[in-house]
Amino acid sequence: MTRKLPATDVVIIELGWTGSIVAHELTGAGLNVVAIERGPWRDTATDFPPAYAQDELRYRIRHDLFLRPEQLTMTFRNNASQTALPIRSWGSFMPPNGVGGGGVHWNAETWRFLPSDFELRTHLVGRYGEKFLPEDMTIQDWGITYDDLEPHYDKFEYLCGTSGKAGNIKGRIQPGGNPFEGARSREYPTPPQRQPYGPTLFAQAAQEMGYKPFPQPSGNLAQAYTNPLGVTIGPCTYCGFCEWFGCGNYSKASPQTTILPALLRRPNFEARTQCEVSKINLDRSGKHATGVTYVDTTGNEWEQPADFVLLCAFQLFNVHLLLHSGIGRPYDPRTGEGVIGRNYSYQVTSSVGAFFDDKIFNPFIASGSIGMCIDEFNGDNFDHGPHGFVGGGYMGAVQTNGRPIQTGRTPQGTPRWGAEWKKAVAKSYLSSYETVTHGSCYSYRDVYLDLDPTYTDRFGRKLMRLTFDFHDNELKMSTYLTDRLAEVAQKMGPRQLEKHPRRGPYDVTVYQTTHTCGGAIMGVEPKTSALNRYLQSWDVPNLFVMGATAFPQNPGYNPTDTVGALAYWAADAIVNRYLKSPGPLVQI
């Protein structure tokens, strides 16, 4: 029996970055907000104390912070000719679980997208022509511009205290920053992190080759900082336990260290943890959300009525909930029609390993987003005409960790176990270095999300099915980027160099990134998008969907800065437009 609760103004599904941001903005506007979170409450002091937070076995190997597949998983296949099977252990990506969401375990790389990324199809067709793009590529413009989003990028970065060096302030190129970035309104709130030897050596090599290296923008703070909400964040201690880990030093930007302390003081905000939303409820018309149904840890089912709903879960689970709730037309890859599940995308990464005889790198002196990068080969910063692909990525020396279980880099030809392997690990630990590329992944007609016909979850709902593989365009891009990176790495003077471009087929068991994107994308018309430019559902106007779910394709950067900026953009539209006149914010 479902028990009905008193109505509230707003119900938010999940309490990560986007849920925390919109909850703070809407409670500030006087609305009563209830956030419903599937996972547990997580607090910096009690959940991530330095006495045990730096535990590679617990968090990296045993996935302590992440959703358990028995709670909810999905099925996977590379293409429609295969039978999808359930993912029983997370590998390629790591779905978060609990208050703070992915903002707890991220590396804190805080990148803005390029201006051309938001008008991608228009830009590429205008420069290269329609026929240059693969026939099955489904990239499209976002419906907003970089200039629309710039004030909201700024707001998110000043919330986080982002450490970095501006490369373009109000159209004027700044020495030491990224000269390819879009114009920003002001400098970063805190200066760049201090760089260790590896990134410094990479930057010197890149500069000698004519590139313009710059420090990676970082949510691991270079110095103490008090944000506009009055929350103080501490300086990074360079321990190297960022990705996969919560930060017990209060020095990594996360909802816990930037916004939740302010939000929790508000009497018109309530959070319910360990409660899983099973459905967004609609009225008889199917065009108006009436609230949500959720299940608590005892198995009791509750209905939470609300005037409007904000879907703020992890990208994949946003799509799953939309499909189960019957919101929007499911995508059909045979016809190319439908929008829910369309334009799924990922990320294409690669690396170059370098082994030295005369250099010591101390890899354990690290943070999640410390490093020196170059952007000459990102987006459309270079002429793609001679190369036969589109897209690109940043590359650099990003020194994230020297954790002992997985930092066992050895040169090719080394035995995989035994005494010789141990000798090689000991020799290479301090004297090897890995440089990386972080490339775009564009969308295609045969890459999508839908409901699996066979497998169900513990509530009897169909699991979501992921159909994905790398395409030739992305593999060509990865080879090209890796070759350019190897040229810089060679300039660093290694004894031996090993290139590792991304190869197909995509392997869901090997970690790459947690940057899954798309599936309910934003755009200019309901025929090709699920959301309008304000992240409002075309079909259900009192439903807004946050996060990387809205990305029509994924550029060559980490997504979180754009996820945060879009949350502020949508919250601004809700407060200043929707509340004054509830209904569609874009007329069609």
Side-chain angles (χ1 to χ4, degrees), residues 21 36 51 92 122 145 159 192-193 207 222 228 239 263 279 289 294 307 322 337 363 408 422 431 547 559 572:
I21 287 169
I36 301 175
S92 177
T122 297
T145 66
L159 173 78
Q193 289 191 285
Q207 196 162 32
C239 72
L263 176 61
K279 188 178 182 182
Y294 70 90
D307 291 338
L322 290 170
E337 297 178 350
K422 292 179 182 179
S431 61
D572 179 76

Side-chain angles (χ1 to χ4, degrees), residues 292-519:
V292 302
T293 297
Y294 70 90
V295 180
D296 64 20
T297 54
T298 64
N300 291 319
E301 189 171 73
W302 303 84
E303 180 184 350
Q304 176 58 69
D307 291 338
F308 62 100
V309 177
L310 296 171
L311 180 50
C312 300
F314 180 58
Q315 172 267 333
L316 289 166
F317 301 132
N318 277 348
V319 180
H320 190 223
L321 199 53
L322 290 170
L323 288 168
H324 268 294
S325 302
I327 297 171
R329 183 179 177 183
Y331 174 68
D332 184 345
R334 295 169 297 179
T335 64
E337 297 178 350
V339 293
I340 306 300
R342 182 179 187 270
N343 276 43
Y344 174 78
S345 60
Y346 189 46
Q347 204 92 63
V348 181
T349 58
S350 67
S351 65
V352 174
F355 298 85
F356 298 80
D357 290 324
D358 58 346
K359 294 177 176 64
I360 299 296
F361 293 101
N362 294 330
F364 46 83
I365 301 173
S367 78
S369 50
I370 201 170
M372 294 295 291
C373 301
I374 60 173
D375 228 10
E376 275 80 358
F377 302 102
N378 209 340
D380 199 36
N381 292 342
F382 61 103
D383 183 6
H384 289 73
H387 306 302
F389 66 85
V390 289
Y394 72 86
M395 57 182 68
V398 182
Q399 189 164 321
T400 61
N401 79 89
R403 299 186 293 267
I405 296 177
Q406 291 205 311
T407 308
R409 197 177 298 118
T410 57
Q412 290 177 352
T414 303
R416 298 184 64 181
W417 62 281
E420 292 303 314
W421 175 81
K422 292 179 182 179
K423 290 178 183 178
V425 169
K427 179 180 180 181
S428 300
Y429 180 76
L430 295 177
S431 61
S432 64
Y433 202 80
E434 184 175 70
T435 54
V436 298
T437 75
H438 195 102
S440 58
C441 183
Y442 291 162
S443 48
Y444 294 88
R445 180 167 175 159
D446 64 347
V447 171
Y448 61 99
L449 306 169
D450 67 351
L451 294 179
D452 191 279
T454 304
Y455 297 96
T456 59
D457 67 10
R458 69 188 193 280
F459 299 124
R461 302 179 302 174
K462 292 181 178 179
L463 295 184
M464 190 168 67
R465 179 170 60 182
L466 194 166
T467 303
F468 175 78
D469 204 354
F470 295 122
H471 283 58
D472 287 344
N473 181 83
E474 278 61 41
L475 298 178
K476 288 179 182 177
M477 177 204 68
S478 182
T479 296
Y480 180 80
L481 262 61
T482 308
D483 287 344
R484 302 291 78 73
L485 178 63
E487 293 168 355
V488 183
Q490 187 65 57
K491 191 78 172 177
M492 296 167 68
R495 172 189 80 249
Q496 183 175 341
L497 203 65
E498 297 175 0
K499 295 189 289 187
H500 303 286
R502 184 60 58 194
R503 304 293 189 193
Y506 168 70
D507 186 347
V508 77
T509 69
V510 178
Y511 187 73
Q512 291 157 66
T513 75
T514 303
H515 306 159
T516 59
C517 300

Side-chain angles (χ1 to χ4, degrees), residues 172-323:
R172 299 186 65 178
I173 301 301
Q174 306 293 309
N178 181 1
F180 297 96
E181 70 175 357
R184 58 176 65 239
S185 53
R186 52 179 170 169
E187 184 57 86
Y188 282 98
T190 56
Q193 289 191 285
R194 296 178 64 184
Q195 301 295 331
Y197 182 46
T200 301
L201 188 64
F202 175 87
Q204 291 172 352
Q207 196 162 32
E208 289 175 8
M209 297 178 68
Y211 300 131
K212 295 179 173 61
F214 58 91
Q216 182 170 240
S218 173
N220 313 120
L221 271 59
Q223 62 187 40
Y225 171 77
T226 300
N227 73 16
L229 304 184
V231 181
T232 298
I233 311 171
C236 180
T237 60
Y238 302 91
C239 72
F241 285 80
C242 297
E243 185 180 26
W244 311 82
F245 303 86
C247 179
N249 296 313
Y250 290 83
S251 54
K252 180 170 75 172
S254 69
Q256 281 83 352
T257 59
T258 61
I259 193 168
L260 285 173
L263 176 61
L264 291 174
R265 296 190 185 104
R266 292 186 167 167
N268 52 339
F269 174 73
E270 179 186 352
R272 298 177 195 152
T273 58
Q274 296 185 317
C275 296
E276 179 159 356
V277 174
S278 57
K279 188 178 182 182
I280 300 169
N281 301 320
L282 305 175
D283 67 5
R284 290 184 177 180
S285 73
K287 300 295 183 181
H288 184 82
T290 59
V292 302
T293 297
Y294 70 90
V295 180
D296 64 20
T297 54
T298 64
N300 291 319
E301 189 171 73
W302 303 84
E303 180 184 350
Q304 176 58 69
D307 291 338
F308 62 100
V309 177
L310 296 171
L311 180 50
C312 300
F314 180 58
Q315 172 267 333
L316 289 166
F317 301 132
N318 277 348
V319 180
H320 190 223
L321 199 53
L322 290 170
L323 288 168

